[in-house]
Amino acid sequence: MAKDLGTWAPEQATVLVQVLQGAGLTPDAKRTRAGIVVTVPDAQADVAVRTLAENMDAIADAARSRAEARRRRSREARTGGAPRGDRPGPLPTERLLGAARPIVVLLVGLLVLSAVARISPALALVGVGVGVYLLGRRQEGDGPGR
């Protein structure tokens, strides 16, 4: 019968098997869906558990170094290019659609202002003042646009 030393991540199982082999033991490793199952013969179980306990730091470091490498790759992907499946930002057409409404309002306002200016320049000046006031309030967040 074999003593089960647990199911490990591939990086940790590799280090564990190397440590056990370095201690003169004969570990057996099998891949499962949950990870790598490491076993040793029953006669070697006590030595294997002691060796495992003595080398837990090295085994844990194997998992940490793998996680750090994964984080480093994702960080490089974010700075060097977009991660898979994600766009770096809105497309130019999406940005234009966001600016379309203010542009249309501005053009209509200018057309109305030019029509009013032909009738009464003073009224056009008042209209410009009201427009500047409303735009200023909207930028502050007090106006109805926000």
Side-chain angles (χ1 to χ4, degrees):
M1 183 97 185
K3 168 74 174 164
D4 184 6
L5 296 178
T7 303
W8 300 85
E11 305 82 28
Q12 292 175 312
T14 302
V15 173
L16 175 60
V17 168
Q18 289 172 350
V19 166
L20 292 174
Q21 287 174 343
L25 304 174
T26 55
D28 184 36
K30 292 183 181 168
R31 180 177 297 273
T32 64
R33 289 183 184 208
I36 310 276
V37 177
V38 179
T39 57
V40 292
D42 275 339
Q44 301 174 353
D46 292 335
V47 177
V49 170
R50 201 172 321 116
T51 305
L52 171 63
E54 290 170 357
N55 293 289
M56 261 327 264
D57 288 339
I59 296 167
D61 286 342
R64 269 190 239 116
S65 66
R66 177 70 173 175
E68 288 172 5
R70 218 177 286 129
R71 276 193 301 266
R72 193 176 320 114
R73 276 195 303 263
S74 67
R75 191 178 319 123
E76 289 170 357
R78 272 186 263 130
T79 58
R84 289 182 220 154
D86 291 345
R87 293 189 305 212
L91 294 174
T93 54
E94 291 172 341
R95 285 192 302 250
L96 284 175
L97 285 176
R101 184 174 178 193
I103 291 171
V104 168
V105 169
L106 180 66
L107 289 176
V108 168
L110 287 174
L111 285 173
V112 169
L113 188 62
S114 67
V116 170
R118 287 186 183 159
I119 299 170
S120 170
L123 190 58
L125 190 58
V126 169
V128 169
V130 169
V132 168
Y133 172 76
L134 290 175
L135 285 174
R137 279 192 54 175
R138 184 172 184 196
Q139 291 298 329
E140 292 175 15
D142 299 334
R146 289 223 170 205

